[in-house]
Amino acid sequence: MRWEDLREGQDGEALFDREDIAPVPERGTGRAGLAAPGGGPVAGGDGEPVAVEIRARSIINRVPGESPMFRWTLNPYRGCAHACVYCFARRSHTYLDLDAGHDFDTKIMVKVNAGELLRAELARPAWQGEPIAMGTNTDPYQRAEGRYRLMPQIISALRDAANPFSVLTKGRLILRDADLLEQAARVTDVRLAVSVGAVDDPLARSVEPGAPTPRARLDTVRALADRGLGCSVLMAPVLPGLTDSPEAVDAAVSAIADAGASSVTPIVLHLRPGGAREWYAAWLAREHPHLAPLYRELYGKGSYAPAHYRELVAARVREAARRYGVGGRSARQESGGEASGRGPGDHRQRTPAGGSADRAGATRQLRLL
């Protein structure tokens, strides 16, 4: 496979010399449910969860396009055990000669030299100290991070360089690094966001089977707020016919407000062909086949839902956010309930969000989408 020569333990002219690789940092005692692959090529399609340790050649990635939402991103992992059926990053696994379905969920590429490589790239004279976004492709605090502990190295490097950064996550493991985030926030702009699309736990278990529950993610928002690290919520994705009703939006925004989120930004589901579109369509056909006509109407001509529908969802969220006081005093506080934990040390955040989506394709699923 294309990436086999990057695996840890392999040597070759195109790779860093062994002495240029930092000593292996301290790791967690568990394996986060991921086995170590054998010495031969990693086989796709077998469903076996494995962590493939690779030595990256570069770590700061420039986002293509004339005016991307983020110019620079950093992804210590490829693939994601959260296994979100809608994840737009699924297609990226096909570039590794793996599939965008179960392989994306179970074949996790771990860039074991991410921390040292980042320090080297930040020190280059050509680097201008622009903001770096993390969590825009795969989650940096997915379960593998509990073993590999790449994020403390990454945050420390950004802190020492006073380089601004943002983190978007579903993982509670970000709380492990709260001290480092506080240190970084004293010297640069640190922006944190947690992704919570709805507060329907049974639905979340079905559509995001490997991720923490929505309530657990909101507890993370609350814990960060209690430490004065402002945290916004990316209400994403809003799923048509499942989490877009006024009642579902109201319940989600109420919980987000009570968690002390600094803001809430809704993102309606978008379905890129070549990965997320097909995988989500198969899930929808199994779990909610009655919604097929709605999805044909919304996504039959492209990856995005129509503008009028997206604005309808945005208006519902805006109204609920105003009603519950997201970013200010919540309805619970106004009625004399407990405080959100926000204090004078609060750092207001902007919400990291995903990038562009491609137009429709996926011949196999045209009848559904």
Side-chain angles (χ1 to χ4, degrees), residues 246 249-250 253-254 257 315-326:
V249 168
D250 188 85
V253 175
S254 172
R316 286 176 181 169
V317 174
R318 282 196 303 269
E319 170 57 25
R322 182 201 62 76
R323 188 164 62 252
Y324 290 111
V326 176

Side-chain angles (χ1 to χ4, degrees), residues 183-239:
Q183 294 167 20
R186 295 188 191 110
V187 298
T188 192
D189 186 21
V190 176
R191 303 183 176 191
L192 308 177
V194 170
S195 175
V196 185
V199 290
D200 182 335
D201 282 349
L203 177 62
R205 283 194 295 272
S206 177
V207 78
E208 305 162 336
T213 67
R215 299 293 179 180
R217 288 175 242 166
L218 291 172
D219 287 344
T220 300
V221 174
R222 184 176 293 106
L224 291 169
D226 285 346
R227 294 191 62 148
L229 286 165
C231 184
S232 60
V233 168
L234 189 68
M235 193 171 162
V238 177
L239 304 177

Side-chain angles (χ1 to χ4, degrees), residues 6-158:
L6 297 177
R7 286 177 62 182
E8 184 77 335
Q10 302 291 328
D11 291 306
E13 294 180 359
L15 303 181
F16 294 108
D17 292 334
R18 179 64 59 180
E19 57 268 24
D20 292 334
I21 303 299
V24 176
E26 181 183 357
R27 290 180 177 172
T29 56
R31 290 205 57 89
L34 299 168
V42 175
D46 61 4
E48 178 70 19
V50 297
V52 184
E53 299 175 3
I54 63 174
R55 290 178 283 148
R57 296 189 177 102
S58 63
I59 199 66
I60 302 176
N61 310 301
R62 181 161 189 163
V63 180
E66 294 183 2
S67 57
M69 186 170 294
F70 306 103
R71 282 173 53 85
W72 303 98
T73 63
L74 189 158
N75 296 291
Y77 301 97
R78 295 189 70 164
C80 187
H82 287 339
C84 304
V85 297
Y86 51 74
C87 182
F88 71 87
R90 288 184 171 277
R91 186 175 63 172
S92 65
H93 240 46
T94 64
Y95 307 154
L96 306 175
D97 295 329
L98 296 168
D99 71 49
H102 286 302
D103 285 351
F104 179 84
D105 303 337
T106 59
K107 303 298 184 284
I108 310 301
M109 309 295 143
V110 183
K111 302 175 186 178
V112 293
N113 60 331
E116 289 300 315
L117 195 52
L118 176 59
R119 284 190 181 274
E121 294 185 9
L122 292 174
R124 290 175 180 169
W127 178 248
Q128 299 297 306
E130 295 185 61
I132 296 174
M134 291 175 280
T136 61
N137 196 48
T138 58
D139 199 318
Y141 284 106
Q142 60 179 287
R143 289 198 300 270
E145 173 62 15
R147 170 172 173 77
Y148 288 98
R149 302 183 181 181
L150 301 181
M151 286 301 288
Q153 304 169 59
I154 289 168
I155 295 170
S156 296
L158 292 163

Side-chain angles (χ1 to χ4, degrees), residues 152-176:
Q153 304 169 59
I154 289 168
I155 295 170
S156 296
L158 292 163
R159 174 202 62 195
D160 294 348
N163 199 104
F165 65 92
S166 63
V167 181
L168 170 63
T169 186
K170 290 183 175 77
R172 286 184 55 79
L173 198 55
I174 190 174
L175 297 177
R176 178 201 64 191

